[in-house]
Amino acid sequence: MIKKPLILGIETSCDETAASIITENETGNPIILSNIISSQIEVHKEFGGVVPELAARSHLEKIDWIVEKAVKKSKKKINEVDAIASTAGPGLIVCLSVGLSFGKALALSLKKPFIAVNHLEGHALSPKLNSKLEYPYLLLLISGGHTEFLNVQGLGKYRRLGTTIDDALGEAFDKTAKLLGVDFPGGPQIEILAKKGNSDRFFLPKPIINRGGCNLSFAGLKTAVLKISKGIKTDQDKYDLAASFQKTIEEILRKKTILAFDEFEKQNTDKEKKLVVAGGGAANKNIRSMLLDLCDERGFQGILPPMELCGDNAAMIAMVGLEKFKSKKFDNLNFPAKPRWPLDEKAAFLKGAGIKLI
Ligand code: KG4
Ligand code: ZN
């Protein structure tokens, strides 16, 4: 019997210290043997956002025992691991450096291959951990730092169809939460508040909704929330603003996803059309069901990772490691941490003043 690869994944790009061991079964389906995540919510709560230096210090304090715990839970021995995959970017450089250095040192001491992983590719491949998913597929990545539509043509082969030109979707949720006085991390709380509110109460703008193709923008929406939030008096006002925000986000995503479907269909003639939604924002239940309904309407198969794999985790990093291991794509130990590392390196940078959209 051929030994199946055993991959250790390490993730420290932002405020989650995570390690995971995965392998695959006889039919080639991945199996998660362990997936340990230690969040730093308590560390950053009083500051209302992630403080890079504190995050890095916390990663440093925890990385050894998180990896040790992942190995123990997997019931394997560290020297049985076939490769070590660490997130190398994008993210906070001081945070990335912890997991990246740890992974490199481990690979060197165990004399095992090292694999540098793009965190966004981790999100892109996360549904592969629990469903069979063949390339190509349309990816809607909605995380705290990124919001983009990509045509995923293969491992490492991405064509960007649209991106946010300012804030990311998760960022818009987090900022709205802050304005409504919700404790960090507030994004997921908005969904809960929205359930108690009237979504037709406040009119909020949908920036670049009728131009810019499937590019997106959320900054104007945030400014409108800021203005309205100043007049908020009761809890019901708060719920209504959360509900109006949630509804507006869904409308923006619906319209832009339809445009992305068209773009994807122009680039791919396959009969089987798939939409994968990944990243922290994919944990939003209303966004999930709206997109799944849209997929039904448009003949796309909607594929979403389970809730626990939407946010940052190391199983998705190990998943990229597994695919790269099978294609023998290894990296040198001098691979740098990359704070900016787009999936489509050829796509134009579309942020800041002076950008031109059609
Ligand atoms: O993918 P992720 O865990 O980390 C990054 O790579 O950024 O995404 C985190 C983001 C945060 O901005 C958080 O507010 C958002 O995902 N998020 C949500 C929900 N859960 C997490 N946004 C809306 N609804 C949720 N249920
Ligand atoms: Zn992420």
Side-chain angles (χ1 to χ4, degrees), residues 80-116:
E80 287 179 78
V81 162
D82 293 298
I84 290 113
S86 285
T87 303
L92 300 166
I93 191 146
V94 282
C95 295
L96 289 165
S97 303
V98 177
L100 186 61
S101 307
F102 193 91
K104 287 175 180 175
L106 205 54
L108 185 68
S109 64
L110 294 171
K111 297 189 177 59
K112 299 288 163 103
F114 172 72
I115 299 166

Side-chain angles (χ1 to χ4, degrees), residues 11 13-16 90 119-120 123 141-146 168-175 177 184-192 245-246 249 278-287 307 309-313 316:
E11 156 65 35
S13 66
C14 190
D15 59 341
E16 254 98 28
H119 177 88
L120 305 176
H123 281 302
L141 175 66
I142 37 179
S143 70
H146 297 82
L169 179 132
E171 205 178 343
F173 268 88
D174 293 337
K175 286 177 178 169
F184 170 84
Q189 297 295 324
I190 291 289
E191 196 184 358
I192 299 165
F245 171 81
Q246 169 82 39
I249 288 279
N284 186 291
K285 291 191 196 73
N286 277 25
I287 292 179
M307 305 287 262
L309 295 177
C310 287
D312 289 349
N313 65 84
M316 68 184 196

Side-chain angles (χ1 to χ4, degrees), residues 277-314:
V277 190
N284 186 291
K285 291 191 196 73
N286 277 25
I287 292 179
R288 286 173 89 91
S289 60
M290 179 276 293
L291 289 171
L292 287 174
D293 289 348
L294 186 61
C295 283
D296 278 349
E297 280 171 35
R298 291 289 304 253
F300 271 68
Q301 187 192 348
I303 300 164
L304 290 104
M307 305 287 262
E308 67 277 13
L309 295 177
C310 287
D312 289 349
N313 65 84

Side-chain angles (χ1 to χ4, degrees), residues 186-219:
Q189 297 295 324
I190 291 289
E191 196 184 358
I192 299 165
L193 298 187
K195 288 209 170 66
K196 300 189 244 176
N198 169 9
S199 61
D200 294 323
R201 164 101 183 268
F202 297 106
F203 172 79
L204 295 170
K206 299 183 204 102
I208 68 164
I209 197 76
N210 291 318
R211 63 192 182 99
C214 52
N215 289 307
L216 308 110
S217 165
F218 299 106

